[in-house]
Amino acid sequence: NAGVTQTPKFRVLKTGQSMTLLCAQDMNHEYMYWYRQDPGMGLRLIHYSVGEGTTAKGEVPDGYNVSRLKKQNFLLGLESAAPSQTSVYFCASSRGRDYEQYFGPGTRLTVT
Amino acid sequence: GDSVTQMEGPVTLSEEAFLTINCTYTATGYPSLFWYVQYPGEGLQLLLKATKADDKGSNKGFEATYRKETTSFHLEKGSVQVSDSAVYFCALRSTDYKLSFGAGTTVTVRA
């Protein structure tokens, strides 16, 4: 039981490049979330999903897209990376909206 | 909107010292309150929680009491260990079930 895993762990992009971050969970959770963590600001919700095939915007969705084609996977895409997207990205999953969220180890992204 | 404010760090302590991290919140309704811990190189883990006023959450020697009158949820531990070195986040879950996090407090415990 691996819990929540994220791929890759580190990535450096040039401005304008695109990439996809993969989150996978093996707990059969319905809900999945993407957060970004910036110094002095805590975690902020980017997008979330309440089930396979669904997505919804969080607090800071601009510049990101997501997809949940399979229940166990939640992908976060950056179509045209900007330096303001330099951050640590965390994925999380939960059984439902009022259950504990389990977090992955994070992806550190630097955009130059 | 709902928000959480926690004391800024970093905090550096000696082993067996007493730790307090202050957390206050602003929310409509009656949120649930949480403390998460992030060890170096890892994701966040739930440390403890409280779902209503006067509830006390506790785990691994840490405690926090939900104080509605002061809108606070301060984290305390009576005797810290080197292994408690981590970043601690206070969070609340609003009535719309979304989590709002504080900025995090980095705690370093020296032997």
Side-chain angles (χ1 to χ4, degrees):
Chain A
N1 189 339
V4 180
T5 58
Q6 294 182 230
T7 308
K9 288 186 169 48
F10 302 94
R11 186 71 187 268
V12 178
L13 288 179
K14 295 187 188 303
T15 297
Q17 287 185 320
S18 63
M19 78 163 294
T20 300
L21 281 64
L22 171 64
C23 175
Q25 52 95 4
D26 61 3
M27 297 175 282
N28 201 35
H29 285 170
E30 291 294 332
Y31 282 55
M32 296 187 75
Y33 314 81
W34 276 107
Y35 294 90
R36 60 178 289 172
Q37 182 186 26
D38 300 297
M41 299 191 72
L43 275 73
R44 292 181 292 169
L45 183 64
I46 304 171
H47 286 282
Y48 65 101
S49 168
V50 302
E52 182 179 319
T54 74
T55 63
K57 293 180 180 180
E59 182 184 354
V60 288
D62 293 343
Y64 305 94
N65 57 75
V66 287
S67 64
R68 183 101 181 266
L69 298 180
K70 294 182 178 180
K71 185 176 184 178
Q72 64 267 35
N73 295 337
F74 195 31
L75 279 63
L76 178 72
L78 287 72
E79 291 186 349
S80 180
S84 60
Q85 294 177 305
T86 293
S87 189
V88 180
Y89 292 86
F90 286 99
C91 177
S93 71
S94 67
R95 284 179 59 189
R97 62 182 186 176
D98 54 352
Y99 287 85
E100 177 183 350
Q101 292 187 23
Y102 293 82
F103 285 81
T107 295
R108 184 174 294 276
L109 175 66
T110 302
V111 183
T112 61
Chain B
D2 295 354
S3 65
V4 173
T5 302
Q6 65 181 98
M7 67 183 269
E8 295 183 16
V11 174
T12 302
L13 302 164
S14 297
E15 229 173 3
E16 299 183 3
F18 184 85
L19 171 67
T20 299
I21 304 176
N22 290 339
C23 172
T24 57
Y25 68 90
T26 302
T28 55
Y30 302 96
S32 294
L33 300 173
F34 305 85
W35 277 101
Y36 282 83
V37 59
Q38 183 182 24
Y39 298 107
E42 299 182 13
L44 280 70
Q45 302 173 23
L46 180 63
L47 180 60
L48 53 84
K49 67 179 181 182
T51 57
K52 60 183 188 295
D54 300 324
D55 266 3
K56 177 185 283 188
S58 61
N59 187 23
K60 298 182 180 180
F62 290 88
E63 292 183 342
T65 301
Y66 190 142
R67 301 284 189 201
K68 186 170 179 292
E69 64 276 13
T70 54
T71 62
S72 65
F73 193 55
H74 304 322
L75 182 69
E76 297 181 336
K77 185 173 186 181
S79 177
V80 294
Q81 305 300 313
V82 172
S83 58
D84 293 323
S85 298
V87 182
Y88 293 83
F89 292 91
C90 186
L92 70 80
R93 187 168 61 210
S94 310
T95 50
D96 64 357
Y97 297 95
K98 297 212 174 60
L99 279 178
S100 299
F101 289 86
T105 302
T106 299
V107 173
T108 302
V109 181
R110 300 198 185 282

